Coordinates of all heavy atoms in Angstrom, one line a residue:
M120 N 0.9 -1.2 0.0 CA 0.0 0.0 0.0 C 0.9 1.2 0.0 O 0.6 2.2 -0.6 CB -0.9 0.0 1.3 CG -1.8 1.2 1.4 SD -3.0 1.3 0.0 CE -3.8 2.8 0.5
A121 N 2.0 1.2 0.7 CA 2.8 2.5 0.8 C 3.4 2.8 -0.5 O 3.5 4.0 -0.9 CB 3.9 2.2 1.9
Q122 N 3.8 1.7 -1.4 CA 4.4 2.1 -2.6 C 3.3 2.6 -3.6 O 3.6 3.6 -4.3 CB 4.9 0.8 -3.2 CG 5.7 1.0 -4.5 CD 6.3 -0.2 -5.0 OE1 6.0 -1.2 -4.7 NE2 7.4 -0.1 -5.9
T123 N 2.1 2.2 -3.5 CA 1.0 2.8 -4.3 C 0.7 4.1 -4.0 O 0.5 5.0 -4.8 CB -0.3 1.9 -4.1 OG1 0.0 0.5 -4.4 CG2 -1.4 2.3 -5.0
A124 N 0.7 4.5 -2.6 CA 0.4 5.8 -2.1 C 1.6 6.8 -2.6 O 1.3 7.9 -3.0 CB 0.3 5.8 -0.6
E125 N 2.8 6.3 -2.5 CA 3.9 7.2 -3.0 C 3.8 7.4 -4.5 O 4.0 8.6 -4.9 CB 5.3 6.5 -2.6 CG 5.5 6.4 -1.1 CD 6.8 5.6 -0.8 OE1 7.4 5.1 -1.7 OE2 6.9 5.4 0.4
L126 N 3.4 6.4 -5.3 CA 3.3 6.5 -6.7 C 2.3 7.6 -7.1 O 2.3 8.3 -7.9 CB 3.1 5.3 -7.4 CG 4.4 4.3 -7.6 CD1 4.0 3.1 -8.1 CD2 5.4 5.1 -8.6
A127 N 1.1 7.3 -6.3 CA -0.1 8.2 -6.6 C 0.2 9.7 -6.3 O -0.1 10.6 -7.1 CB -1.3 7.7 -5.7
C128 N 0.9 9.9 -5.2 CA 1.4 11.3 -4.8 C 2.3 11.9 -5.8 O 2.3 13.0 -6.2 CB 1.9 11.3 -3.4 SG 0.6 11.2 -2.1
T129 N 3.2 11.1 -6.2 CA 4.2 11.4 -7.2 C 3.5 11.8 -8.5 O 3.8 12.9 -9.1 CB 5.3 10.3 -7.5 OG1 5.9 9.9 -6.3 CG2 6.3 10.7 -8.5
Y130 N 2.7 11.1 -9.0 CA 1.9 11.4 -10.3 C 1.1 12.6 -10.1 O 1.0 13.4 -11.0 CB 1.1 10.1 -10.7 CG 1.9 9.0 -11.2 CD1 1.5 7.7 -10.8 CD2 3.1 9.2 -12.0 CE1 2.1 6.6 -11.4 CE2 3.8 8.0 -12.4 CZ 3.3 6.8 -12.1 OH 4.1 5.8 -12.6
A131 N 0.5 12.8 -9.0 CA -0.3 14.0 -8.6 C 0.5 15.2 -8.7 O 0.2 16.2 -9.3 CB -1.0 13.9 -7.3
C132 N 1.7 15.2 -8.1 CA 2.7 16.2 -8.1 C 3.2 16.6 -9.6 O 3.3 17.8 -10.0 CB 3.8 16.0 -7.2 SG 3.5 16.0 -5.5
L133 N 3.4 15.6 -10.3 CA 3.9 15.8 -11.7 C 2.7 16.4 -12.5 O 3.0 17.3 -13.4 CB 4.3 14.4 -12.3 CG 5.6 13.8 -11.8 CD1 5.8 12.4 -12.4 CD2 6.8 14.7 -12.2
L134 N 1.5 15.9 -12.3 CA 0.3 16.5 -13.0 C 0.2 18.0 -12.7 O 0.0 18.8 -13.5 CB -0.9 15.8 -12.6 CG -2.2 16.2 -13.3 CD1 -2.7 15.0 -14.2 CD2 -3.2 16.6 -12.3
L135 N 0.3 18.3 -11.4 CA 0.2 19.7 -10.9 C 1.3 20.6 -11.5 O 1.1 21.7 -12.0 CB 0.2 19.8 -9.4 CG -1.0 19.2 -8.7 CD1 -0.8 19.1 -7.2 CD2 -2.3 20.1 -9.0
Q136 N 2.5 20.0 -11.6 CA 3.6 20.8 -12.0 C 3.5 21.0 -13.6 O 3.7 22.1 -14.1 CB 5.0 19.9 -11.9 CG 6.2 20.6 -12.4 CD 6.6 22.0 -11.8 OE1 6.2 22.2 -10.7 NE2 7.3 22.8 -12.6
D137 N 3.0 20.0 -14.3 CA 2.8 20.1 -15.7 C 1.7 21.1 -16.1 O 1.8 21.9 -17.0 CB 2.4 18.7 -16.3 CG 2.4 18.8 -17.8 OD1 3.3 19.2 -18.4 OD2 1.3 18.3 -18.3
D138 N 0.7 21.3 -15.2 CA -0.3 22.3 -15.3 C 0.1 23.6 -14.8 O -0.7 24.5 -14.7 CB -1.6 21.8 -14.8 CG -2.3 20.8 -15.7 OD1 -1.9 20.6 -16.8 OD2 -3.2 20.1 -15.1
E139 N 1.2 23.8 -14.2 CA 1.9 24.9 -13.7 C 1.0 25.4 -12.5 O 0.7 26.6 -12.3 CB 2.0 26.0 -14.6 CG 3.0 25.6 -15.7 CD 3.3 26.6 -16.8 OE1 2.7 27.7 -16.7 OE2 4.1 26.4 -17.7
L140 N 0.5 24.5 -11.7 CA -0.4 24.8 -10.5 C 0.4 24.7 -9.2 O 1.5 24.0 -9.2 CB -1.6 23.9 -10.4 CG -2.6 24.0 -11.6 CD1 -3.6 22.9 -11.4 CD2 -3.3 25.3 -11.6
A141 N 0.1 25.3 -8.2 CA 0.7 25.3 -6.9 C 0.6 23.9 -6.4 O -0.4 23.2 -6.4 CB 0.2 26.3 -5.9
I142 N 1.8 23.4 -5.8 CA 1.8 22.0 -5.2 C 1.6 22.1 -3.8 O 2.6 22.5 -3.1 CB 3.1 21.2 -5.7 CG1 3.2 21.1 -7.2 CG2 3.0 19.9 -5.0 CD1 4.4 20.5 -7.8
T143 N 0.5 21.9 -3.3 CA 0.1 22.0 -1.9 C -0.5 20.7 -1.5 O -0.8 19.9 -2.2 CB -0.8 23.1 -1.6 OG1 -2.0 22.9 -2.2 CG2 -0.2 24.5 -2.0
A144 N -0.6 20.5 -0.2 CA -1.2 19.2 0.4 C -2.6 19.1 -0.2 O -3.1 18.1 -0.5 CB -1.1 19.2 1.9
D145 N -3.3 20.3 -0.1 CA -4.7 20.3 -0.6 C -4.8 20.0 -2.0 O -5.7 19.3 -2.5 CB -5.4 21.7 -0.2 CG -5.4 21.9 1.2 OD1 -5.6 20.9 2.0 OD2 -5.5 23.1 1.6
S146 N -4.0 20.6 -2.8 CA -4.1 20.3 -4.2 C -3.7 18.8 -4.6 O -4.3 18.2 -5.5 CB -3.1 21.3 -5.1 OG -1.8 21.1 -4.8
I147 N -2.7 18.3 -3.9 CA -2.4 16.9 -4.1 C -3.6 16.1 -3.7 O -3.9 15.1 -4.4 CB -1.1 16.5 -3.4 CG1 0.1 17.3 -3.9 CG2 -0.8 15.0 -3.4 CD1 1.3 17.1 -3.0
Q148 N -4.1 16.3 -2.6 CA -5.4 15.5 -2.1 C -6.4 15.6 -3.1 O -7.2 14.8 -3.3 CB -5.8 16.1 -0.7 CG -6.8 15.1 -0.1 CD -6.3 13.6 0.1 OE1 -5.3 13.4 0.6 NE2 -7.2 12.8 -0.4
A149 N -6.7 16.9 -3.7 CA -7.8 17.0 -4.7 C -7.5 16.1 -5.9 O -8.5 15.5 -6.4 CB -7.9 18.5 -5.1
V150 N -6.4 16.2 -6.3 CA -6.0 15.2 -7.6 C -6.3 13.8 -7.1 O -6.8 13.0 -7.9 CB -4.6 15.4 -8.0 CG1 -4.2 14.4 -9.0 CG2 -4.4 16.9 -8.6
L151 N -5.8 13.4 -6.0 CA -6.0 12.0 -5.5 C -7.5 11.6 -5.4 O -8.0 10.6 -5.8 CB -5.3 11.8 -4.2 CG -3.8 11.9 -4.2 CD1 -3.2 11.7 -2.9 CD2 -3.2 10.7 -5.1
D152 N -8.3 12.6 -4.9 CA -9.8 12.4 -4.7 C -10.5 12.3 -6.1 O -11.3 11.4 -6.3 CB -10.4 13.6 -3.9 CG -10.0 13.5 -2.5 OD1 -9.5 12.5 -2.0 OD2 -10.1 14.6 -1.9
A153 N -9.9 13.1 -7.0 CA -10.5 13.0 -8.4 C -10.2 11.7 -9.1 O -11.0 11.2 -9.9 CB -10.0 14.2 -9.2
A154 N -9.1 11.2 -8.8 CA -8.7 9.9 -9.3 C -9.1 8.8 -8.5 O -8.9 7.5 -8.8 CB -7.1 9.8 -9.4
N155 N -9.9 9.0 -7.4 CA -10.5 8.0 -6.5 C -9.4 7.1 -5.9 O -9.5 5.9 -5.9 CB -11.5 7.1 -7.3 CG -12.5 6.4 -6.3 OD1 -12.6 6.8 -5.2 ND2 -13.1 5.4 -6.8
V156 N -8.3 7.7 -5.5 CA -7.3 7.0 -4.9 C -7.2 7.4 -3.4 O -7.2 8.7 -3.1 CB -5.8 7.3 -5.5 CG1 -4.7 6.8 -4.8 CG2 -5.9 7.0 -7.0
T157 N -7.1 6.4 -2.5 CA -7.1 6.7 -1.1 C -5.7 6.4 -0.6 O -5.0 5.4 -0.8 CB -8.0 5.8 -0.4 OG1 -9.3 5.9 -0.9 CG2 -8.1 6.1 1.1
V158 N -5.0 7.4 0.1 CA -3.8 7.3 0.7 C -3.9 7.8 2.2 O -4.8 8.3 2.7 CB -2.7 8.2 -0.1 CG1 -2.6 7.7 -1.4 CG2 -3.1 9.6 0.1
E159 N -2.9 7.4 3.0 CA -2.7 7.9 4.3 C -2.7 9.4 4.3 O -2.2 10.0 3.4 CB -1.5 7.2 5.0 CG -1.5 5.8 5.1 CD -2.5 5.3 6.1 OE1 -2.9 5.9 7.1 OE2 -3.1 4.2 5.9
P160 N -3.4 10.0 5.3 CA -3.5 11.5 5.3 C -2.1 12.3 5.4 O -2.1 13.4 4.9 CB -4.2 11.8 6.5 CG -4.8 10.5 7.1 CD -4.0 9.4 6.4
F161 N -1.1 11.6 5.8 CA 0.3 12.3 5.8 C 1.0 12.4 4.5 O 1.8 13.3 4.4 CB 1.1 11.7 6.9 CG 1.7 10.4 6.6 CD1 2.8 10.1 5.9 CD2 1.0 9.2 7.0 CE1 3.3 8.9 5.5 CE2 1.4 8.0 6.7 CZ 2.6 7.8 5.9
Y162 N 0.6 11.6 3.6 CA 1.4 11.6 2.3 C 1.3 12.9 1.6 O 2.4 13.4 1.1 CB 0.9 10.4 1.4 CG 1.7 9.1 1.7 CD1 1.0 8.2 2.3 CD2 3.0 8.9 1.3 CE1 1.6 7.0 2.6 CE2 3.6 7.8 1.7 CZ 2.9 6.8 2.3 OH 3.6 5.5 2.5
P163 N 0.2 13.5 1.3 CA 0.0 14.8 0.5 C 0.9 15.8 1.2 O 1.6 16.6 0.5 CB -1.4 15.1 0.5 CG -2.1 13.9 0.6 CD -1.2 13.0 1.5
G164 N 0.8 16.0 2.4 CA 1.6 16.9 3.2 C 3.1 16.7 3.2 O 3.9 17.7 3.0
L165 N 3.5 15.5 3.2 CA 5.0 15.1 3.1 C 5.5 15.5 1.8 O 6.5 16.1 1.7 CB 5.0 13.6 3.4 CG 6.4 13.0 3.3 CD1 7.1 13.5 4.6 CD2 6.4 11.5 3.3
F166 N 4.8 15.2 0.7 CA 5.2 15.5 -0.7 C 5.2 17.0 -0.8 O 6.1 17.6 -1.5 CB 4.4 14.9 -1.7 CG 4.7 13.4 -2.0 CD1 4.4 12.4 -1.2 CD2 5.4 13.1 -3.1 CE1 4.9 11.1 -1.4 CE2 5.9 11.9 -3.4 CZ 5.6 10.9 -2.6
A167 N 4.1 17.7 -0.3 CA 4.0 19.2 -0.5 C 5.2 19.9 0.3 O 5.9 20.8 -0.4 CB 2.8 19.7 -0.1
K168 N 5.5 19.5 1.4 CA 6.6 20.0 2.2 C 7.9 19.8 1.5 O 8.7 20.7 1.5 CB 6.6 19.5 3.6 CG 7.5 20.1 4.5 CD 7.2 19.9 5.9 CE 8.1 20.7 6.9 NZ 7.4 21.9 7.4
F169 N 8.2 18.6 1.0 CA 9.4 18.5 0.3 C 9.6 19.3 -1.0 O 10.6 19.8 -1.2 CB 9.5 16.9 -0.2 CG 10.6 16.6 -1.0 CD1 12.0 16.6 -0.6 CD2 10.5 16.3 -2.3 CE1 13.0 16.4 -1.4 CE2 11.5 16.1 -3.2 CZ 12.8 16.1 -2.7
L170 N 8.5 19.4 -1.7 CA 8.5 20.3 -3.0 C 8.5 21.6 -2.7 O 8.7 22.5 -3.7 CB 7.5 19.8 -3.9 CG 7.6 18.3 -4.3 CD1 6.4 17.9 -5.2 CD2 8.9 18.2 -5.2
Q171 N 8.4 22.2 -1.5 CA 8.4 23.6 -1.2 C 9.9 24.0 -1.3 O 10.2 25.1 -1.8 CB 8.0 23.9 0.1 CG 6.5 23.9 0.3 CD 6.1 24.2 1.7 OE1 6.8 24.2 2.6 NE2 4.7 24.4 2.0
T172 N 10.8 23.2 -1.0 CA 12.3 23.4 -1.0 C 13.0 22.9 -2.2 O 14.2 23.1 -2.4 CB 12.9 23.0 0.2 OG1 12.8 21.6 0.3 CG2 12.3 23.7 1.5
T173 N 12.2 22.1 -3.0 CA 12.9 21.4 -4.1 C 12.1 21.7 -5.4 O 10.9 21.7 -5.5 CB 12.9 19.9 -4.0 OG1 13.6 19.6 -2.7 CG2 13.7 19.2 -5.0
D174 N 12.8 22.1 -6.5 CA 12.2 22.3 -7.8 C 12.0 21.0 -8.6 O 13.0 20.3 -8.8 CB 13.1 23.2 -8.5 CG 12.5 23.6 -9.9 OD1 11.2 23.6 -10.1 OD2 13.3 23.9 -10.9
I175 N 10.8 20.6 -9.0 CA 10.6 19.4 -9.7 C 11.3 19.5 -11.0 O 11.9 18.4 -11.4 CB 9.1 19.2 -9.9 CG1 8.4 18.8 -8.7 CG2 8.9 18.1 -11.0 CD1 6.9 18.6 -8.8
N176 N 11.4 20.5 -11.7 CA 12.2 20.6 -13.0 C 13.6 20.2 -12.8 O 14.2 19.5 -13.6 CB 12.0 22.0 -13.6 CG 10.6 22.3 -14.0 OD1 9.9 21.4 -14.4 ND2 10.2 23.5 -13.9
S177 N 14.3 20.6 -11.8 CA 15.7 20.2 -11.5 C 15.7 18.8 -11.2 O 16.7 18.1 -11.6 CB 16.3 21.0 -10.4 OG 15.6 20.7 -9.2
L178 N 14.7 18.2 -10.5 CA 14.7 16.8 -10.3 C 14.7 16.0 -11.5 O 15.3 15.0 -11.8 CB 13.6 16.4 -9.3 CG 13.8 16.8 -7.9 CD1 12.4 16.5 -7.1 CD2 14.9 16.1 -7.2
L179 N 13.7 16.4 -12.4 CA 13.5 15.7 -13.7 C 14.7 15.8 -14.6 O 15.0 14.9 -15.4 CB 12.2 16.3 -14.3 CG 10.9 15.9 -13.7 CD1 9.7 16.6 -14.4 CD2 10.7 14.5 -13.5
S180 N 15.3 17.0 -14.6 CA 16.4 17.1 -15.5 C 17.7 16.5 -15.1 O 18.6 16.4 -15.7 CB 16.7 18.7 -15.8 OG 17.1 19.3 -14.5
N181 N 17.7 16.0 -13.8 CA 19.0 15.4 -13.2 C 18.8 14.0 -13.0 O 19.5 13.4 -12.2 CB 19.4 16.1 -11.9 CG 19.9 17.5 -12.2 OD1 20.5 17.8 -13.2 ND2 19.7 18.4 -11.2
I182 N 17.9 13.3 -13.7 CA 17.6 11.9 -13.4 C 18.8 11.0 -13.7 O 19.1 10.2 -12.9 CB 16.3 11.4 -14.2 CG1 15.1 12.0 -13.7 CG2 16.2 9.9 -14.3 CD1 13.8 11.7 -14.4
G183 N 19.3 11.2 -14.8 CA 20.5 10.2 -15.2 C 21.9 10.8 -14.8 O 22.9 10.2 -15.3
T184 N 22.0 11.7 -13.9 CA 23.2 12.3 -13.6 C 23.7 11.9 -12.2 O 24.3 12.7 -11.5 CB 23.2 13.8 -13.7 OG1 22.3 14.3 -12.8 CG2 23.0 14.3 -15.1
G185 N 23.6 10.6 -11.8 CA 24.1 10.2 -10.6 C 25.6 10.1 -10.6 O 26.2 9.8 -11.6
G186 N 26.2 10.1 -9.4 CA 27.6 10.0 -9.4 C 27.9 8.4 -9.3 O 27.6 7.7 -8.5
G187 N 28.5 7.9 -10.4 CA 28.8 6.6 -10.5 C 29.9 6.2 -9.6 O 30.7 7.1 -9.1
G188 N 30.1 5.0 -9.4 CA 31.2 4.5 -8.5 C 32.5 4.7 -9.1 O 32.7 4.6 -10.4
G189 N 33.5 5.0 -8.4 CA 34.8 5.2 -8.9 C 35.4 3.9 -9.5 O 35.2 2.8 -9.0
G190 N 36.1 4.0 -10.5 CA 36.8 2.9 -11.1 C 38.0 2.5 -10.3 O 38.5 3.4 -9.5
G191 N 38.6 1.4 -10.5 CA 39.8 1.0 -9.9 C 41.0 1.8 -10.3 O 40.9 2.5 -11.5
A192 N 42.1 1.8 -9.6 CA 43.2 2.5 -9.9 C 43.9 1.9 -11.1 O 43.9 0.6 -11.2 CB 44.2 2.7 -8.7
A193 N 44.5 2.6 -11.9 CA 45.3 2.1 -13.1 C 46.4 1.3 -12.6 O 47.1 1.7 -11.7 CB 45.7 3.2 -14.0
A194 N 46.7 0.2 -13.3 CA 47.9 -0.6 -13.0 C 49.1 0.2 -13.4 O 49.1 0.9 -14.4 CB 47.9 -1.9 -13.7
P195 N 50.2 0.0 -12.7 CA 51.5 0.8 -13.1 C 52.0 0.3 -14.4 O 51.8 -0.8 -14.8 CB 52.4 0.5 -11.9 CG 51.8 -0.7 -11.2 CD 50.4 -0.7 -11.5
A196 N 52.6 1.2 -15.2 CA 53.0 0.9 -16.5 C 54.3 0.0 -16.4 O 55.0 0.2 -15.4 CB 53.4 2.2 -17.3
A197 N 54.4 -0.9 -17.3 CA 55.5 -1.8 -17.4 C 56.8 -1.0 -17.8 O 56.7 0.0 -18.5 CB 55.3 -2.9 -18.3
A198 N 57.8 -1.4 -17.4 CA 59.0 -0.7 -17.7 C 59.5 -0.9 -19.1 O 59.2 -2.0 -19.7 CB 60.2 -1.3 -16.7
G199 N 60.2 0.0 -19.7 CA 60.8 -0.2 -21.0 C 59.7 0.0 -22.1 O 59.0 0.9 -22.1
G200 N 59.9 -0.8 -23.2 CA 59.1 -0.7 -24.4 C 57.7 -1.2 -24.3 O 57.0 -1.3 -25.3
A201 N 57.4 -1.8 -23.2 CA 56.0 -2.3 -23.1 C 54.9 -1.4 -23.1 O 53.8 -1.6 -23.5 CB 55.9 -3.3 -21.8
A202 N 55.2 -0.1 -22.6 CA 54.2 0.9 -22.5 C 53.8 1.3 -23.9 O 52.5 1.5 -24.0 CB 54.8 2.2 -21.8
P203 N 54.6 1.6 -24.9 CA 54.0 1.9 -26.2 C 53.2 0.8 -26.8 O 52.2 1.1 -27.5 CB 55.2 2.2 -27.1 CG 56.3 2.5 -26.1 CD 56.0 1.8 -24.8
A204 N 53.6 -0.4 -26.5 CA 52.8 -1.5 -27.1 C 51.4 -1.6 -26.5 O 50.4 -1.9 -27.1 CB 53.6 -2.8 -26.8
A205 N 51.3 -1.3 -25.1 CA 50.0 -1.3 -24.5 C 49.1 -0.2 -25.0 O 48.0 -0.4 -25.2 CB 50.2 -1.1 -23.0
E206 N 49.8 1.0 -25.3 CA 49.0 2.1 -25.8 C 48.5 1.8 -27.2 O 47.3 2.1 -27.6 CB 49.8 3.4 -25.9 CG 50.1 3.9 -24.5 CD 51.0 5.3 -24.6 OE1 51.0 5.8 -25.7 OE2 51.6 5.5 -23.6
A207 N 49.3 1.1 -28.0 CA 48.8 0.7 -29.3 C 47.7 -0.3 -29.3 O 46.7 -0.1 -30.1 CB 50.0 0.1 -30.1
K208 N 47.6 -1.2 -28.3 CA 46.6 -2.1 -28.1 C 45.3 -1.4 -27.6 O 44.2 -1.7 -28.2 CB 46.9 -3.1 -27.1 CG 48.0 -4.2 -27.6 CD 48.1 -5.3 -26.6 CE 49.1 -6.4 -27.0 NZ 49.4 -7.3 -26.0
K209 N 45.5 -0.4 -26.9 CA 44.4 0.4 -26.4 C 43.6 1.2 -27.5 O 42.5 1.2 -27.7 CB 44.7 1.4 -25.3 CG 45.0 0.8 -23.9 CD 45.2 1.8 -22.9 CE 45.7 1.2 -21.6 NZ 46.0 2.2 -20.6
E210 N 44.4 1.7 -28.4 CA 44.0 2.5 -29.6 C 43.2 1.5 -30.5 O 42.1 1.9 -31.1 CB 45.1 3.2 -30.3 CG 45.6 4.3 -29.6 CD 46.9 4.9 -30.3 OE1 47.1 4.5 -31.4 OE2 47.4 5.9 -29.7
E211 N 43.8 0.3 -30.8 CA 43.1 -0.7 -31.6 C 41.7 -1.1 -31.0 O 40.7 -1.2 -31.7 CB 43.9 -1.9 -31.8 CG 45.2 -1.6 -32.6 CD 46.0 -2.9 -32.8 OE1 45.5 -4.0 -32.8 OE2 47.3 -2.8 -33.0
K212 N 41.7 -1.2 -29.7 CA 40.5 -1.6 -29.0 C 39.4 -0.6 -29.1 O 38.2 -0.8 -29.4 CB 40.8 -1.9 -27.6 CG 39.8 -2.7 -26.9 CD 40.2 -3.0 -25.4 CE 39.6 -4.3 -25.0 NZ 39.9 -4.8 -23.7
K213 N 39.9 0.8 -28.9 CA 38.9 1.8 -29.2 C 38.4 1.9 -30.6 O 37.2 2.1 -30.6 CB 39.7 3.1 -28.7 CG 39.9 3.3 -27.2 CD 40.6 4.6 -26.9 CE 40.9 4.8 -25.5 NZ 41.6 6.0 -25.2
K214 N 39.3 1.7 -31.5 CA 38.7 1.7 -32.9 C 37.7 0.6 -33.1 O 36.7 0.9 -33.7 CB 39.9 1.7 -33.8 CG 40.8 2.8 -33.9 CD 41.9 2.6 -34.9 CE 42.8 3.8 -34.9 NZ 44.0 3.5 -35.9
E215 N 37.9 -0.6 -32.6 CA 36.9 -1.7 -32.8 C 35.7 -1.3 -32.1 O 34.6 -1.6 -32.6 CB 37.6 -3.0 -32.3 CG 38.8 -3.5 -33.0 CD 39.4 -4.8 -32.4 OE1 38.8 -5.2 -31.5 OE2 40.4 -5.2 -32.9
E216 N 35.8 -0.8 -30.9 CA 34.5 -0.5 -30.1 C 33.7 0.6 -30.9 O 32.4 0.5 -30.9 CB 34.9 0.0 -28.7 CG 35.4 -1.1 -27.8 CD 35.8 -0.5 -26.5 OE1 35.6 0.7 -26.2 OE2 36.3 -1.4 -25.7
S217 N 34.4 1.7 -31.4 CA 33.7 2.8 -32.2 C 33.0 2.2 -33.4 O 32.0 2.5 -33.7 CB 34.6 3.9 -32.4 OG 35.6 3.5 -33.3
E218 N 33.7 1.2 -34.1 CA 33.2 0.6 -35.3 C 31.9 -0.3 -34.9 O 30.9 -0.2 -35.7 CB 34.1 -0.3 -36.0 CG 35.2 0.6 -36.6 CD 36.3 -0.3 -37.2 OE1 36.2 -1.6 -37.2 OE2 37.4 0.2 -37.7
E219 N 32.0 -1.0 -33.7 CA 30.7 -1.7 -33.4 C 29.6 -0.8 -33.0 O 28.4 -1.1 -33.2 CB 31.1 -2.5 -32.1 CG 32.0 -3.7 -32.4 CD 32.5 -4.5 -31.2 OE1 32.0 -4.2 -30.1 OE2 33.3 -5.4 -31.4
E220 N 29.9 0.3 -32.5 CA 28.8 1.2 -32.1 C 28.1 1.8 -33.2 O 26.9 2.2 -33.2 CB 29.4 2.4 -31.1 CG 29.8 1.9 -29.8 CD 30.5 3.0 -29.0 OE1 30.6 4.1 -29.4 OE2 30.9 2.7 -27.8
D221 N 28.9 2.0 -34.4 CA 28.3 2.6 -35.6 C 27.5 1.7 -36.3 O 26.8 2.0 -37.3 CB 29.5 3.1 -36.4 CG 30.2 4.3 -35.9 OD1 29.6 5.0 -35.0 OD2 31.3 4.5 -36.2
D222 N 27.5 0.3 -36.0 CA 26.7 -0.6 -36.8 C 25.3 -0.2 -36.7 O 24.7 0.0 -35.6 CB 26.9 -2.1 -36.2 CG 28.3 -2.5 -36.6 OD1 29.0 -2.0 -37.4 OD2 28.7 -3.6 -35.8
D223 N 24.5 -0.3 -37.8 CA 23.1 0.0 -37.9 C 22.4 -1.2 -37.9 O 22.7 -2.1 -38.7 CB 22.8 0.9 -39.2 CG 21.4 1.5 -39.2 OD1 20.8 1.4 -38.1 OD2 21.0 1.8 -40.2
M224 N 21.4 -1.3 -37.0 CA 20.6 -2.6 -36.9 C 19.3 -2.4 -37.6 O 18.4 -3.2 -37.5 CB 20.3 -2.8 -35.4 CG 21.6 -3.1 -34.6 SD 21.4 -3.6 -33.0 CE 20.8 -5.3 -33.3
G225 N 19.2 -1.3 -38.4 CA 17.9 -1.2 -39.3 C 16.9 -0.3 -38.6 O 15.9 -0.1 -39.2
F226 N 17.1 0.1 -37.4 CA 16.2 0.8 -36.7 C 16.9 1.8 -35.7 O 18.0 1.5 -35.3 CB 15.0 0.1 -36.0 CG 15.6 -0.7 -34.8 CD1 15.6 -0.2 -33.6 CD2 16.1 -2.1 -35.1 CE1 16.2 -1.0 -32.5 CE2 16.5 -2.8 -34.0 CZ 16.5 -2.2 -32.8
G227 N 16.3 2.8 -35.3 CA 16.8 3.8 -34.4 C 15.9 4.0 -33.3 O 14.7 3.8 -33.4
L228 N 16.5 4.4 -32.1 CA 15.7 4.7 -31.0 C 14.7 5.7 -31.2 O 13.6 5.7 -30.7 CB 16.6 4.9 -29.8 CG 15.9 5.1 -28.4 CD1 15.2 3.9 -28.0 CD2 17.0 5.4 -27.4
F229 N 15.1 6.8 -31.9 CA 14.2 8.0 -32.0 C 13.7 8.1 -33.5 O 13.4 9.2 -33.9 CB 15.0 9.2 -31.7 CG 15.4 9.2 -30.2 CD1 16.8 8.9 -29.9 CD2 14.6 9.3 -29.2 CE1 17.2 8.8 -28.6 CE2 14.9 9.3 -27.9 CZ 16.4 8.9 -27.6
D230 N 13.6 7.0 -34.2 CA 13.1 7.1 -35.7 C 11.5 7.3 -35.6 O 10.9 6.8 -34.8 CB 13.4 5.9 -36.5 CG 14.9 5.9 -36.8 OD1 15.5 7.0 -36.7 OD2 15.4 4.8 -37.1

């Protein structure tokens, strides 16, 4: 039930934001009532209070910008002539990867 209530309040807030209406506990509750959705009474107030200090547009525009985990440290370079050989292998590998990415499968995501 809690997950359903959270989703319902989230959708209500998105709907209000899309219509450029004020996001208050009363407006969230009005949307939920119109949709015939029952939630615990504290949910609309909780969402409204959070969104008083947070801009929904900034939340939506930063969806995919999470800080990823750091990669492992690079291995120390081998002494002597092994370093140029390793760089050459990396360049070849990058070329192969870029060629694979360019392969057209007959359809595009945004066609």
